[in-house]
């Protein structure tokens, strides 16, 4: 039975440990008083409940088609009872039940960070109603509801700040150590902690669809799948079981001494294979959660550790997905005034380019005026009046069409690797603004870190134009760039890259979901990524920070290293002890004590995966990649 399945049996493990301990202690007391017969009976009484519980586990496992090394423990205790070696048998029972209890405790300890996420789920919300502020179940909150988030409250649903700014602690969700500030109108995630003044929150989705609910669903399913290494351990378990039984038979037939055969059995009980692997992997999942990385089970952790190829999406993954103003070209008049008037007009549009221009103007300290008589050609441009002046802002084609012959100067080529927005004032082109979707500042550091961790090949796969993809990839060290891809073609890229090793796909949008599902391990950017990509992925970065991906790979590789180390060292020591027992050098009681010492050592070693690898501190200068296009039609 795997460690994850034993969580609910913690009380039973404690009861069986108590029964075995009481039987051993009472028997020792009777033996000290000179009553050997009563001592043997008491020791046997300590064996029986543990053996019964173990038999139930074995039958349950066999019904699922699983055969584990618990059988050796059952054989050892049964043989001890039949041969009258009840002291050796009760030591096996005590150490076995103690190992199960320690394993359950260790696994619960390893899951602490995951459990902490579940404990943060709020049950109620303070909603503004005509009668006043009313505490309602979060299931009753609907989009558009106005909620009050008090100091110290966990945000119950995703929403936007109604009155701000809001100071939020998102460390439990994203791993960010410092509070973040959100202005009025900005989106905030459920599960964040309000560490500032009370503020009004306007719900944008119901509780069942909010970020925290999605995380809870992911956590609930995080340990259901049996990891490939655990299945591999089962195959080794069958081999080890066969070797143990063969050596037991050889010891008995070769010497005629049944105690040698019993010693072989007890020193092989239980095997570190059934202890070290699940604990180390669960510890790795828990450690990853502390880094803001949600791993959907041990299988995903193993896949992350083994990844040798990374296929990564561009917009919203390698880049922020938000255009930025990167340059300008004055055509007539004062460019600063043209920017102010153009940004004032753009306030009327919800297009990402319009938002970026308005933010850029405010960032320069420009005071924007409210526009009037606004009309918008969706995706092309906006026309209107600002301070009594006719203003146009949009793509060169849009502005040229609107101006007629006055826009002939715009009949020229514009750079393909960035987005051009023209501002015209009173019927004359005045300013060309260039926007780009930059690579994330941490991208170069994250890619270098992944190289050091053994991800030997990286491929950029995007639906954007070749010029844009090449501009973003320049200087980042990609081995290949695949552009102008539809979702099905991204899947083809993932499949083709498997010739180079196990493939990790990193994406954020709905269009990435098929490729995430097709990869050996899919990683979704969960901070602002689409729900479909998070559901399709094996791993979710709870903040849009690529550096966390390298941290996750490091944690996964360390957990796997600890698991293998515990298994091979434990099996090696057990095998050496079994040979010594078969040759008559170790009697049954000492054999049981030796084996349980080995098991204790591998459990404690597996728990080292909670600490994670020692990370070398490296400082990398801020990275400014070449400008690239925003990828937004306008």
């Amino acid at each position: 039975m795997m460690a994850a399945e034993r969580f609910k049996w913690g009380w039973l493990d404690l009861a069986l440990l108590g029964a075995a301990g009481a039987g051993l202690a009472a028997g020792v007391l009777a033996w000290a008083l000179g009553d050997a017969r009563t001592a043997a009976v008491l020791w046997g009484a300590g064996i029986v409940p543990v053996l019964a519980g173990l038999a139930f586990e074995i039958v349950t496992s066999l019904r699922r088609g699983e055969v584990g090394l618990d059988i050796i423990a059952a054989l050892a205790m049964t043989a001890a009872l039949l041969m009258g070696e009840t002291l050796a048998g009760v030591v096996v029972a005590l150490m076995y039940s103690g190992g199960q209890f320690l394993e359950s405790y260790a696994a619960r300890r390893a899951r602490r960070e995951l459990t902490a996420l579940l404990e943060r789920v709020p049950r109620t919300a303070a909603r503004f109603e005509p009668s006043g502020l009313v505490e309602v179940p979060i299931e009753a909150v609907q989009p558009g509801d106005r909620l009050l988030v008090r100091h110290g409250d966990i945000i119950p649903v995703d929403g936007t700040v109604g009155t701000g700014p809001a100071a939020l602690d998102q460390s439990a969700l994203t791993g960010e150590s410092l509070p973040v500030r959100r202005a009025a109108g900005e989106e905030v995630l459920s599960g964040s902690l309000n560490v500032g003044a009370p503020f009004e929150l306007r719900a944008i989705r119901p509780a069942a669809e909010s970020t925290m609910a999605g995380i809870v669903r992911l956590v609930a399913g995080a340990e259901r799948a049996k990891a490939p290494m655990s299945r591999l351990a089962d195959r080794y378990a069958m081999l080890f079981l066969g070797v143990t039984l063969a050596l037991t038979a050889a010891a008995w037939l070769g010497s005629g001494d049944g105690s040698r055969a019993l010693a072989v059995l007890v020193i092989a009980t239980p095997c570190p294979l059934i202890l070290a692997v699940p604990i180390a992997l669960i510890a790795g999942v828990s450690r990853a959660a502390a880094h803001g990385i949600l791993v959907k089970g041990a299988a995903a952790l193993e896949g992350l550790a083994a990844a040798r190829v990374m296929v990564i999406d561009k917009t919203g993954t390698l880049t922020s997905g938000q255009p930025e103003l990167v340059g300008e070209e004055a055509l007539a008049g004062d460019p600063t005034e043209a920017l102010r008037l153009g940004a004032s007009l753009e306030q009327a549009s919800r297009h990402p380019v319009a938002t970026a221009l308005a933010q850029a103007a405010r960032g320069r300290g420009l005071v924007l005026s409210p526009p009037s008589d606004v009309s918008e050609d969706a995706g092309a441009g906006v026309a209107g009046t600002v301070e009594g002046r006719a203003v146009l802002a949009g793509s060169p084609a849009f502005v040229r069409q609107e101006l007629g012959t006055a826009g002939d100067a715009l009949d020229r080529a514009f750079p393909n690797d960035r987005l051009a927005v023209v501002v015209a004032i009173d019927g004359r082109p005045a300013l060309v603004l260039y926007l780009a979707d930059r690579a994330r500042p941490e991208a170069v550091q994250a890619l270098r870190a992944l190289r050091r961790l053994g991800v030997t090949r990286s491929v950029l796969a995007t639906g954007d134009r070749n010029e844009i993809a090449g501009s973003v990839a320049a200087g980042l060290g990609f081995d290949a760039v695949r552009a102008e891809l539809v979702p099905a073609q991204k899947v083809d890229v993932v499949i083709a890259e498997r010739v180079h090793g196990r493939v990790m796909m990193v994406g954020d949008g709905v269009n990435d979901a098929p490729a995430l599902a097709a990869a050996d391990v899919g990683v979704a950017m969960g901070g602002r990524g689409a729900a479909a990509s998070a559901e399709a992925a094996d791993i979710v970065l709870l903040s849009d920070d690529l550096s966390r991906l390298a941290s996750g790979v490091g944690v996964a590789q360390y957990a796997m290293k600890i698991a293998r180390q515990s298994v091979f060292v434990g099996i090696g020591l057990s095998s050496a002890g079994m040979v010594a027992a078969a040759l008559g050098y170790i009697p049954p009681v000492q054999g049981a004590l030796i084996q349980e010492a080995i098991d204790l050592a591998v459990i404690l070693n597996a728990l080292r995966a909670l600490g994670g690898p020692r990370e070398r501190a490296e400082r990398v200068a801020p990275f400014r990649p070449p400008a690239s296009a925003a990828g937004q039609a306008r």
Side-chain angles (χ1 to χ4, degrees), residues 123-127 129 133-141 145 147:
R123 307 296 180 210
T124 61
R127 183 170 65 187
E129 296 185 356
L133 197 63
V134 178
E135 202 78 18
V136 298
I138 63 167
E139 292 81 6
V141 176
D145 284 353
L147 309 175

Side-chain angles (χ1 to χ4, degrees), residues 226-251:
K226 198 172 187 183
M229 186 171 179
S230 297
R231 292 193 290 268
L232 180 63
D234 288 341
R235 292 196 292 272
Y236 279 137
M238 292 299 296
L239 176 62
F240 190 82
L241 176 60
V243 170
T244 299
L245 295 178
L247 191 56
T248 300

Side-chain angles (χ1 to χ4, degrees), residues 52-66 70-71:
L54 181 53
F56 176 77
E57 288 191 7
I58 291 172
V59 171
T60 302
S61 298
L62 289 174
R63 286 177 176 173
R64 293 195 304 266
E66 299 175 3
D70 289 347
I71 291 176

